[in-house]
Amino acid sequence: MSALTASPALQTIGLSKSFGGFKANADISLSVARGARHALIGPNGAGKTTFINLLTGVLPVSSGTIALMGEDITGVSQQGRVRRGMARTYQINQLFADLSPIETVGLAIAERQGAGARWWSRVGQNSAVIDEAEALLLRMKLGGLMTRRTATLPYGKQRLLEIALAMACQPSLLLLDEPAAGVPEDERHDVLDSVEALPEDVTVLLIEHDMELVFSFADRISVLVQGQLFAQGSVEEISTDPRVRSVYLGEDTHV
Ligand code: ADP
Ligand code: MG
């Protein structure tokens, strides 16, 4: 195995982000193994979304480096990172409210293929695109809802469509920022099942508040507190770590 293929899917070294004098991310060195199911947890305001924004290039870093599959991408544009295999979920329920899931995902696949297709009348006749879009939507438990207007879907299904849309980029690394946030209790298992059914060769970094989801999904967990990596380990180690528990229960946040 060459040094490059042996490299982690994602590696940050000393990653920091300051907003004025406030350090939202402080010296984060995090490694996500290829094919991992890695969760990043931490209390509200810990800096999790900021970290994702640095990884995806939405925000420039203050210092530190980011490597994707062994390649330094710290200075690469957002689109360049997507082309190199990094995808994230967005809140699409406003963006694509008037389209159906099959149109939304079909257009994204056509775009990935460089068809530059903006018009459904054309994309809708491309059977390879439609087949791929259908397979993706079935995997995301949207099989019976493919032609419904997105705005009318239950919220959990809309969140699953966001994941399907990210998967349409054929990512090697998928970043999920709280996929179950705001999803009603009775739909939560749908999201959990679909996230667990993601293809094994896709490395997943999941940010999530729902501990049930995190513990059933992850093979490795990193805990962020006040912008710093606070603990890392297996589900077993993190779920039984009294320091982590105390942070979550708010009993002792100045550990
Ligand atoms: P989390 O996702 O863990 O809840 P965030 O990364 O959203 O945390 O936020 C971490 C901290 O950084 C918060 O205190 C937040 O107010 C601050 N923050 C995030 N983005 C900005 C910004 N663009 N400008 C100033 N402060 C920000
Ligand atoms: Mg957040």
Side-chain angles (χ1 to χ4, degrees):
M1 209 187 272
S2 75
L4 209 59
T5 55
S7 57
L10 176 75
Q11 186 164 33
T12 69
I13 299 174
L15 206 60
S16 298
K17 181 66 186 178
S18 300
F19 296 114
F22 174 71
K23 275 208 155 186
N25 278 184
D27 202 24
I28 299 176
S29 294
L30 179 79
S31 190
V32 178
R34 291 185 187 218
R37 296 288 180 264
H38 198 125
L40 179 64
I41 65 173
N44 262 327
K48 305 180 296 296
T49 296
T50 300
F51 185 66
I52 295 286
N53 286 336
L54 296 181
L55 295 182
T56 52
V58 169
L59 292 171
V61 309
S62 297
S63 60
T65 60
I66 306 161
L68 179 66
M69 306 292 164
E71 184 193 0
D72 189 331
I73 55 152
T74 316
V76 171
S77 69
Q78 290 184 56
Q79 296 85 341
R81 295 179 202 209
V82 174
R83 275 198 302 276
R84 284 167 176 77
M86 182 189 282
R88 75 179 300 177
T89 47
Y90 288 93
Q91 300 262 151
I92 65 160
N93 45 330
Q94 285 154 15
L95 278 174
F96 297 97
D98 288 329
L99 298 183
S100 65
I102 191 81
E103 290 169 333
T104 302
V105 172
L107 287 168
I109 292 169
E111 170 113 14
R112 184 198 77 218
Q113 293 178 341
R118 304 214 181 283
W119 306 108
W120 181 246
S121 55
R122 186 162 309 167
V123 174
Q125 287 163 21
N126 183 330
S127 60
V129 169
I130 296 300
D131 287 352
E132 185 181 333
E134 284 181 356
L136 204 49
L137 291 169
L138 279 173
R139 190 186 262 277
M140 285 296 131
K141 295 185 182 294
L142 289 160
L145 303 166
M146 292 192 206
T147 57
R148 283 241 320 245
R149 203 171 148 256
T150 294
T152 67
L153 300 182
Y155 190 62
K157 297 292 187 188
Q158 296 189 15
R159 302 300 319 250
L160 288 176
L161 180 56
E162 292 173 16
I163 299 175
L165 188 58
M167 290 299 294
C169 302
Q170 291 190 330
S172 48
L173 174 67
L174 179 63
L175 308 171
L176 300 174
D177 193 353
E178 302 203 29
V183 175
E185 197 60 42
D186 61 339
E187 287 186 72
R188 213 162 268 214
H189 274 278
D190 251 9
V191 176
L192 193 149
D193 290 348
S194 297
V195 168
E196 285 185 343
L198 287 166
E200 273 179 26
D201 58 336
V202 178
T203 305
V204 184
L205 178 61
L206 170 79
I207 291 181
E208 186 51 65
H209 260 314
D210 186 325
M211 285 300 131
E212 186 194 2
L213 205 164
V214 166
F215 289 150
S216 70
F217 166 83
D219 47 40
R220 188 149 184 92
I221 300 177
S222 299
V223 187
L224 201 61
V225 178
Q226 294 177 1
Q228 293 182 303
L229 271 186
F230 176 78
Q232 294 200 75
S234 65
V235 170
E236 173 72 19
E237 287 163 346
I238 295 300
S239 62
T240 56
D241 186 331
R243 296 184 318 141
V244 173
R245 283 173 169 270
S246 67
V247 165
Y248 266 86
L249 297 173
E251 289 170 1
D252 183 9
T253 50
H254 52 269
V255 183

